[in-house]
């Protein structure tokens, strides 16, 4: 499998280029400007670094609820399009903009998006066609609105005070993940989902066609391990979406099977080439992707990987960098994964952050398991519920095909649901998120509320910051001691299990421990969590 450099390695197309680099920039603290014509740009910024960061070139950590970006986007000859898209379409991809984004191209509003951790796109085909005819660049303008004191939107560890305190980090405003331009054909693969299934020795395929769809189109799928072809299938499309099962040749015996299974010790990936074909057989669109054969779950009080018990040794990874805050280079993301593996860990709980797809790519390639955790709001309001639920669905949609992800964590430590023990609405919300996540992806364990006050979970997780190791040993040293702790010792002055939820054969894991809570802010990658099977 080739090493990808694409911003979205699960849907890699040949014609793309990065728009990262120098953009015009302006603060709009009063929110006075409503249209690109109003904006008075007075400085430049290095995208994709947030203006709070040193690498942005601005390094202003004050309260700035509205910011603006501007770019003269020159369209290349190989990106030629017409206003009707006969030669394809030009799409601008935004990896993440915190929090509410509006995008204009030559004064026309081409995209809006809410949610600071998930991607969105803007189609600039019409504007690019006109700019090409007039031999000028497209004026691309982005407005980002991010109220620094709004506690009802998913914000993770971003501090609401002017200066970071305790376990909280500096805020991230505006563009903080890569921006890139992609040329797609008139008809193109808009979405691709691949899921390897070790138990069924098969790969599940889902694909959606964007743009124009014509009867008679076909989809060709080629799966390989290295140069070995595992499957070469072709399907006629009856509609602009498809769902198929691709069976793989099953060697039967474990020693042979193990050569194709993904695990931290053997992170073998299956490369995929997916082609959209015309009725005559001509290739309309082609993307590269990958998947892996692996199965995760819980059974008999144990976490299971590929049908066998696996004892997790993980880090709580905050994903912040001193000079760039939530944004890192690809080399830094790769090095972070390499260091985690070199220290002897096999996984990371990415804490209160949805990391770049490039991080997940390196976890797939290098063999690091990931618990993906949604950044929390702090308040419980109907608006907060809607915001988190909508963005969490987008997170799962973006990352569901990454083999490295072995668990979903929609909430942490009752953040956003502070009255779980007494408020039925809070408990119903946690249960709703748990079942929503299980519905969208029944193939992975879900931890409804990591740390304590469990009402719905596949793994009972405990956060215990007792400083004396003997206290931890007395609480979790044996199965009997662990059971006693779960039944009412409340290690963090919080009940681990709320009434009505029983830890039957759930695995029990210390998912945070090892030092004082205030020390966590200092480290990007902090304390190890380990599993205790029941």
């Amino acid at each position: 499998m080739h090493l990808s450099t694409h911003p979205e390695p699960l849907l890699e197309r040949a014609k793309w280029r990065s728009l990262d680099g120098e953009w015009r920039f302006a603060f709009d603290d009063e929110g006075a400007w409503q249209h690109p014509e109003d904006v008075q740009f007075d400085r430049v910024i290095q995208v994709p670094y947030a203006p709070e960061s040193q690498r942005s070139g601005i390094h202003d950590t004050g309260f700035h609820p509205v910011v603006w970006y501007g770019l003269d986007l020159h369209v290349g000859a190989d990106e030629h399009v017409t206003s009707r898209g006969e030669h394809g379409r030009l799409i601008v991809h935004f990896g993440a903009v915190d929090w509410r984004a509006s995008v204009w191209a030559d004064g026309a509003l081409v995209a809006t998006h809410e949610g600071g951790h998930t991607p969105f796109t803007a189609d600039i085909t019409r504007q690019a066609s006109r700019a090409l005819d007039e031999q000028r660049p497209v004026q691309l303008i982005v407005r980002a609105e991010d109220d620094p004191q709004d506690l009802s939107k998913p914000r993770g560890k971003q501090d609401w005070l002017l200066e970071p305190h305790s376990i909280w980090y500096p805020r991230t405003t505006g563009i903080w993940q890569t921006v890139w331009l992609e040329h797609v054909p008139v008809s193109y693969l808009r979405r691709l989902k691949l899921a390897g299934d070790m138990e069924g020795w098969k790969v599940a395929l889902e694909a959606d066609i964007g743009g124009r769809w014509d009867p008679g189109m076909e989809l060709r799928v080629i799966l390989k391990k290295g140069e070995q072809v595992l499957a070469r299938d072709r399907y006629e499309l009856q509609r602009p979406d498809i769902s198929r099962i691709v069976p793989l040749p099953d060697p039967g015996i474990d020693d042979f099977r193990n050569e194709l299974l993904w695990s931290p010790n053997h992170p073998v990936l299956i490369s995929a080439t997916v082609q959209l074909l015309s009725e005559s057989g001509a290739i309309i669109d082609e993307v590269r992707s990958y998947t892996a054969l692996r199965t995760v779950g819980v059974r008999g009080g144990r976490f299971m990987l590929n049908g066998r018990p696996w004892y997790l040794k993980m880090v709580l990874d905050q994903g912040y960098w001193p000079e760039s805050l939530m944004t890192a280079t690809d080399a830094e993301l790769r090095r972070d994964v390499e260091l985690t593996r070199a220290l002897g860990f096999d996984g990371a709980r990415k804490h209160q952050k949805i990391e770049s797809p490039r991080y997940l790519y390196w976890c797939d390639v290098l063999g690091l398991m990931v618990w993906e955790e949604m950044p929390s709001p702090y308040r419980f309001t109907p608006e907060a519920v809607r915001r988190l639920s909508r963005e969490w669905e987008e997170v799962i949609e973006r990352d569901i095909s990454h083999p490295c992800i072995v668990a979903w964590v929609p909430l942490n430590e009752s953040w956003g649901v502070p009255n779980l023990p007494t408020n039925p609405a809070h408990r119903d919300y946690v249960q709703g998120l748990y079942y929503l996540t299980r519905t969208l992806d029944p193939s992975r364990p879900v931890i409804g509320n990591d740390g304590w006050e469990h009402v719905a979970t596949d793994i009972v997780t405990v956060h215990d910051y007792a400083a004396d190791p003997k206290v931890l040993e007395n609480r979790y040293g044996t199965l009997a001691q662990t059971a006693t702790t779960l039944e009412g010792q409340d290690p963090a002055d919080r009940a681990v299990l709320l009434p009505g939820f029983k830890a039957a054969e759930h695995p029990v894991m210390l998912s945070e421990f090892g030092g004082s809570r205030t020390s966590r802010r200092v480290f990007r990658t902090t304390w190890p969590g380990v599993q205790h099977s029941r």
Side-chain angles (χ1 to χ4, degrees):
M1 177 177 166
H2 81 292
L3 288 182
S4 170
T5 59
H6 197 275
E8 180 42 88
L10 289 173
L11 193 68
E12 179 178 347
R13 192 174 279 107
K15 292 186 177 180
W16 72 278
R17 62 182 170 102
S18 173
L19 299 183
D20 294 344
E22 189 174 281
W23 290 50
R24 297 187 300 280
F25 186 79
F27 291 118
D28 182 13
D29 292 349
E30 303 302 321
W33 303 327
Q34 298 300 314
H35 193 273
E37 294 178 353
D38 303 331
V39 183
Q40 299 176 22
F41 290 107
D42 59 357
R43 63 194 77 193
V44 296
I45 189 171
Q46 293 295 320
V47 167
Y49 300 105
E52 292 88 351
S53 71
Q54 296 177 35
R55 284 189 190 168
S56 70
I58 295 178
H59 197 204
D60 187 328
T61 59
F63 288 151
H64 298 292
V66 180
V67 297
W68 292 79
Y69 298 79
L71 178 69
D72 294 336
L73 175 56
H74 294 270
V75 179
D78 60 340
E79 296 163 334
H80 177 68
V81 294
T82 66
S83 59
R84 295 184 179 181
E86 283 91 345
H87 301 296
R89 311 201 69 81
L90 279 183
I91 310 294
V92 180
H93 294 258
F94 294 86
V97 180
D98 203 354
W99 177 75
R100 179 183 289 118
S102 301
V103 183
W104 289 265
D106 287 346
L109 184 65
V110 290
T112 59
H113 182 260
E114 284 188 358
H117 311 90
T118 49
F120 65 96
T121 61
D123 188 326
I124 62 165
T125 304
R126 290 181 179 274
Q127 293 75 23
S129 173
R130 190 177 303 114
L132 279 168
D133 291 343
E134 298 172 4
Q135 297 183 327
R136 60 170 179 82
V138 177
Q139 297 297 313
L140 194 65
I141 305 294
V142 178
R143 180 184 189 270
E145 178 183 341
D146 187 20
D147 183 349
Q149 295 179 306
D150 184 352
L151 304 186
S152 65
K153 66 174 184 284
R155 57 188 294 149
K157 299 291 286 284
Q158 298 185 53
D159 208 321
W160 60 94
L161 299 181
L162 187 61
E163 296 297 330
H165 75 290
S166 184
I167 63 171
W168 313 102
Y169 290 91
R171 288 167 300 283
T172 292
T173 301
I175 298 172
W176 69 275
Q177 286 191 23
T178 189
V179 185
W180 48 289
L181 182 68
E182 183 179 43
H183 182 281
V184 301
V186 177
S187 304
Y188 63 99
L189 288 159
R190 185 184 64 83
R191 184 183 73 95
L192 178 65
K193 175 184 171 184
L194 294 168
D197 178 5
M198 182 277 292
E199 292 179 354
W201 214 252
K202 62 190 178 183
V203 173
L205 162 75
E206 294 180 15
D208 292 346
I209 309 304
R212 191 177 69 209
W213 175 73
D214 297 322
M217 284 181 173
E218 294 184 337
L219 202 69
R220 180 159 58 203
V221 182
I222 304 169
L223 302 178
K224 291 183 175 182
K225 179 197 172 188
E227 296 302 314
Q228 178 190 2
V229 176
L230 301 176
R232 189 190 302 270
D233 285 6
R234 187 164 172 167
Y235 311 105
E236 183 177 349
L237 299 178
Q238 304 299 324
R239 46 180 291 123
D241 57 65
I242 188 172
S243 177
R244 290 289 184 272
I245 297 296
V246 184
L248 300 179
D250 186 354
I253 191 167
D254 281 355
D255 282 356
F256 203 156
R257 274 185 157 203
N258 291 339
E259 291 302 310
L260 199 56
L261 295 183
W262 187 96
S263 73
N265 297 333
H266 190 244
V268 61
L269 297 175
I270 298 171
S271 64
T273 300
V274 184
Q275 299 169 332
L276 180 63
L277 308 177
S278 69
E279 188 174 12
S280 66
I283 297 175
I284 302 172
D285 190 23
E286 178 176 294
V287 299
R288 285 181 170 181
S289 188
Y290 62 86
T291 187
L293 280 180
R294 71 105 185 87
T295 300
V296 295
V298 296
R299 188 173 72 224
R302 296 177 176 180
F303 175 83
M304 309 293 287
L305 175 65
N306 297 332
R308 300 289 187 270
W310 187 283
Y311 286 82
L312 297 167
K313 187 164 63 173
M314 305 177 71
V315 292
L316 181 71
D317 191 333
Q318 310 273 346
Y320 278 76
W321 280 260
E323 296 180 352
S324 55
L325 303 183
M326 292 207 301
T327 308
T329 67
D330 191 56
E332 288 169 334
L333 293 172
R334 176 175 184 168
R335 184 60 176 155
D336 222 36
V337 177
E338 290 173 336
L339 286 172
T340 304
R341 293 295 286 129
L343 288 168
F345 300 107
D346 57 20
R349 174 170 153 236
K350 182 58 74 164
H351 185 44
Q352 286 297 292
K353 183 188 181 188
I354 303 303
E355 191 55 273
S356 162
R358 295 295 308 173
Y359 172 82
L360 297 175
Y361 168 75
W362 288 118
C363 291
D364 291 334
V365 170
L366 300 174
L368 187 72
M369 293 183 289
V370 175
W371 287 14
E372 182 145 292
E373 178 181 315
M374 182 65 196
S376 298
Y378 307 149
R379 299 181 60 206
F380 181 84
T381 67
E383 185 65 17
V385 170
R386 285 190 290 268
R387 287 170 169 178
L388 185 139
S389 300
R390 180 177 61 243
E391 193 168 355
W392 183 233
E393 288 188 39
E394 293 181 357
V395 168
I396 295 172
E397 173 71 18
R398 191 197 80 168
D399 292 340
I400 193 171
S401 292
H402 281 284
C404 66
I405 296 177
V406 298
W408 300 110
V409 186
L411 291 174
N412 167 70
E413 289 188 349
S414 304
W415 292 2
V417 282
N419 301 319
L420 262 177
T422 59
N423 191 322
H426 290 204
R427 295 196 296 273
D428 291 344
Y429 178 40
V430 175
Q431 291 170 337
L433 284 172
Y434 168 83
Y435 287 110
L436 171 66
T437 308
R438 292 284 295 170
T439 299
L440 295 173
D441 180 17
S443 72
R444 293 175 172 93
V446 178
I447 298 97
N449 178 40
D450 192 47
W452 50 61
E453 297 177 342
H454 289 288
V455 295
T457 190
D458 295 318
I459 300 171
V460 173
T461 55
V462 184
H463 295 180
D464 192 333
Y465 279 90
D468 186 349
K470 291 186 179 300
V471 172
L472 293 176
E473 184 178 3
N474 289 335
R475 287 175 177 169
Y476 311 103
T478 67
L479 291 174
Q481 290 169 319
T482 301
T484 300
T485 301
L486 297 184
E487 289 168 2
Q489 286 196 7
D490 301 350
D493 296 324
R494 303 271 192 139
V496 177
L497 310 177
L498 291 187
F501 180 81
K502 298 295 183 182
E505 292 191 347
H506 294 69
V508 177
M509 302 187 190
L510 282 174
S511 55
E512 288 189 30
F513 76 98
S516 67
R517 292 180 59 79
T518 55
S519 70
R520 285 188 295 165
R521 189 177 67 84
V522 180
F523 301 97
R524 180 172 75 248
T525 300
T526 56
W527 309 107
V530 297
Q531 170 177 289
H532 188 99
S533 292
R534 302 192 67 213

